[in-house]
Amino acid sequence: MKNSAPIRVFLVEDSLVALTILKRILASSPEVDVVGTAPNGVEALERIPAAQPQVICTDLHMPKMDGLKLTRRIMADYPRPILVISASVNTQEDSRNVFKLLQAGALDVFPKPSIDLISDYEQVKHELINRIKVLAGVTVFTRHTSRTATIEPRTHPASPESKPEPFSPKPINNSQFPIRNSLSLPKVVAIGASTGGPQALYTILKQLPANFPVPILCVQHISEGFLQGLVDWLAAECFLRVTIAQPGEFPKPGTVYFAPERQHLQLDTQGRLTTISTPPVSGHRPSVTVLFQGVATCYPRSAVGILLTGMGRDGADGLQAIAQAGGTTIAQDEQTCVVFGMPKEAIALGAAQHILAIGEIAPMLLNRISSYRLS
C-alpha cells in the first residue's frame, strides 16, 4: 500500500537555536516535511502561499510582526491549522497573549524546545510530531480581519463596587433540552476538554453570569507550563472567578476550578477538592475520567458532566459513570469540535444524554438551573 504524503509544515521562529532544534525534531519523522521557514510574520506571509503548508507553527514574540498579528492575517488570507510554539511565560501579560492567539484562530499551544530539554528530547519529539499529526486533520475556516474579535471579549464591571449581572437566563424552549434524569437541583458542573478546549471553554464560560449558583470543575489537557496562562486569560475574559484547584477547599458557586498540572482532581467524601498523583488514565494526568468518576460518586444525581473537543477517549468512561449515577451528561457535537475524538467515544458508549453545538451548552445550563430557581 502506498504511503501517504508527509505533512507539510511551515515554521515561523526568530531564534536560530529554537529553529534548528525544531527542524531537527521534525526531520526525524518521515511523516513530516518542513516546507519553509521565516524569522517573523512579515516574511512568513510572503512565503506561505508558495509553500502551501498544511500546518503552521509560530512563536509569539517576533520582530516586525508578532505571532498574534500573523495568526489573524493567516486566518483571514490563508486559513491553516496553527500551532503556537512558545516558551513557558512568566508574566501575566504574556500568558494572556499566548491564549489570544487561540482566540484569533490558532488551535493549540506547545512549549518551545530548548537545549535545556535535551534529556527529554525523545518525549518532546514524540509529543510535537503527534500534535502536528492531529492538527493536520483539522479543517479551519477563514476569519476576516475586519472581524478579528470573532469571539468578543467580556468586559468586567467598571469598578469593584459595581454589582454583577443578575441571574436572569433568557427563556428557552424546554422541549429543546428535555431533562431525562432526576429532578434534583444540579450541585456541580464538571467539564473535560483537550485539543480545541480553551476556545470551547471560553465559549461556554463567557455566557455564564458571575452569580452562577453552581461550582464548575475542569480538566483541560494542555502542555506543561501553560495552565496558569489559560486560567489568567479566562479570568480576564469571563465574569466567573477562575482559579487552579487547591486541596481541601470546598467548591464555591460562581467559581471555575481547574485541575493542577500533573495532578488528578477529585472530591473527597465531604465534597472538598482533593488532588492525587496516581498513574495517568487514558494517557493523561489530570484525567477527565478521574474527575467525572469522582463527581459521580460525590453527587450521583445532581452532577452535570460536559465532554468537549479532544483527541482520544479520556472522559468517555467518566461521562458514562455520571449518566449511570443519575446525573446529566452532555457531549459537544461533531460540527463544532476541533477534534471529534473524546465526545465521539462517549456517544458510542451511549453516555451522552445530550449532543449539543458548543454555543448551545451554556444556554442549557442556564435553563437547567433556572427551572429550579424560578419554580
Side-chain angles (χ1 to χ4, degrees):
M1 185 172 64
K2 185 178 178 180
N3 292 331
S4 58
I7 299 166
R8 299 170 62 85
V9 177
F10 194 98
L11 302 175
V12 190
E13 172 59 64
D14 63 321
S15 166
L16 289 178
V17 173
L19 182 62
T20 299
I21 295 173
L22 288 171
K23 290 172 68 176
R24 184 188 310 152
I25 288 173
L26 298 182
S28 70
S29 172
E31 298 175 279
V32 177
D33 182 19
V34 177
V35 295
T37 66
N40 56 65
V42 172
E43 294 184 40
L45 290 173
E46 294 172 353
R47 301 171 188 176
I48 285 172
Q52 287 296 303
Q54 293 166 265
V55 177
I56 297 171
C57 302
T58 183
D59 191 10
L60 170 61
H61 294 297
M62 296 178 294
K64 298 184 179 179
M65 180 184 290
D66 64 16
L68 179 57
K69 292 179 181 178
L70 173 63
T71 296
R72 288 173 173 163
R73 287 288 303 276
I74 290 172
M75 297 309 296
D77 300 333
Y78 319 107
R80 298 285 192 281
I82 297 173
L83 176 63
V84 182
I85 300 182
S86 178
S88 296
V89 290
N90 297 318
T91 69
Q92 194 173 57
E93 181 180 358
D94 278 352
S95 296
R96 292 177 185 172
N97 285 338
V98 166
F99 288 92
K100 284 181 179 178
L101 269 73
L102 300 190
Q103 191 173 346
L107 296 183
D108 207 352
V109 295
F110 190 83
K112 184 183 295 187
S114 68
I115 295 176
D116 296 336
L117 295 176
I118 201 67
S119 60
D120 301 323
Y121 181 83
E122 288 302 318
Q123 180 180 348
V124 171
K125 179 176 77 172
H126 171 77
E127 291 180 357
L128 177 58
I129 292 171
N130 186 62
R131 201 74 61 93
I132 287 173
K133 287 163 66 175
V134 169
L135 296 187
V138 175
T139 300
V140 296
F141 301 96
T142 300
R143 294 192 182 192
H144 299 292
T145 52
S146 60
R147 298 180 184 177
T148 50
T150 47
I151 305 176
E152 291 292 340
R154 295 297 294 260
T155 55
H156 286 285
S159 68
E161 292 76 21
S162 300
K163 294 181 179 180
E165 289 184 346
F167 184 86
S168 55
K170 297 178 180 178
I172 298 176
N173 182 358
N174 285 324
S175 63
Q176 182 182 1
F177 303 125
I179 298 173
R180 294 171 48 190
N181 60 352
S182 70
L183 296 178
S184 60
L185 174 67
K187 294 181 179 177
V188 66
V189 174
I191 306 177
S194 187
T195 306
Q199 302 93 316
L201 286 165
Y202 176 95
T203 301
I204 294 172
L205 299 179
K206 72 168 185 172
Q207 299 181 65
L208 303 179
N211 59 340
F212 186 68
V214 177
I216 301 173
L217 312 182
C218 292
V219 167
Q220 167 67 54
H221 301 160
I222 195 166
S223 296
E224 188 172 341
F226 290 101
L227 177 62
Q228 187 63 57
L230 172 63
V231 168
D232 291 342
W233 173 62
L234 289 173
E237 300 290 337
C238 304
F239 284 114
L240 299 166
R241 176 175 176 259
V242 186
T243 187
I244 297 174
Q246 297 298 318
E249 184 176 359
F250 284 102
K252 297 180 179 64
T255 303
V256 183
Y257 299 90
F258 277 87
E261 292 180 335
R262 304 190 304 277
Q263 299 281 311
H264 294 304
L265 179 61
Q266 284 193 322
L267 295 165
D268 66 16
T269 54
Q270 282 75 45
R272 292 174 298 194
L273 298 171
T274 182
T275 58
I276 54 176
S277 300
T278 51
V281 174
S282 298
H284 297 282
R285 188 177 64 200
S287 161
V288 180
T289 282
V290 170
L291 172 62
F292 284 180
Q293 289 174 339
V295 165
T297 299
C298 195
Y299 297 105
R301 296 175 65 83
S302 53
V304 178
I306 304 171
L307 191 57
L308 303 176
T309 173
M311 191 73 177
R313 70 179 318 277
D314 185 29
D317 295 328
L319 202 69
Q320 187 176 48
I322 292 176
Q324 291 174 342
T328 299
T329 56
I330 303 167
Q332 185 178 351
D333 70 354
E334 182 174 8
Q335 289 71 30
T336 60
C337 278
V338 170
V339 180
F340 189 54
M342 288 158 40
K344 181 180 180 180
E345 294 292 336
I347 293 167
L349 285 178
Q353 298 164 355
H354 307 277
I355 303 170
L356 302 177
I358 190 63
E360 297 176 337
I361 294 176
M364 179 182 177
L365 289 177
L366 294 171
N367 181 64
R368 180 73 192 274
I369 298 294
S370 67
S371 66
Y372 299 99
R373 292 181 61 126
L374 302 178
S375 62

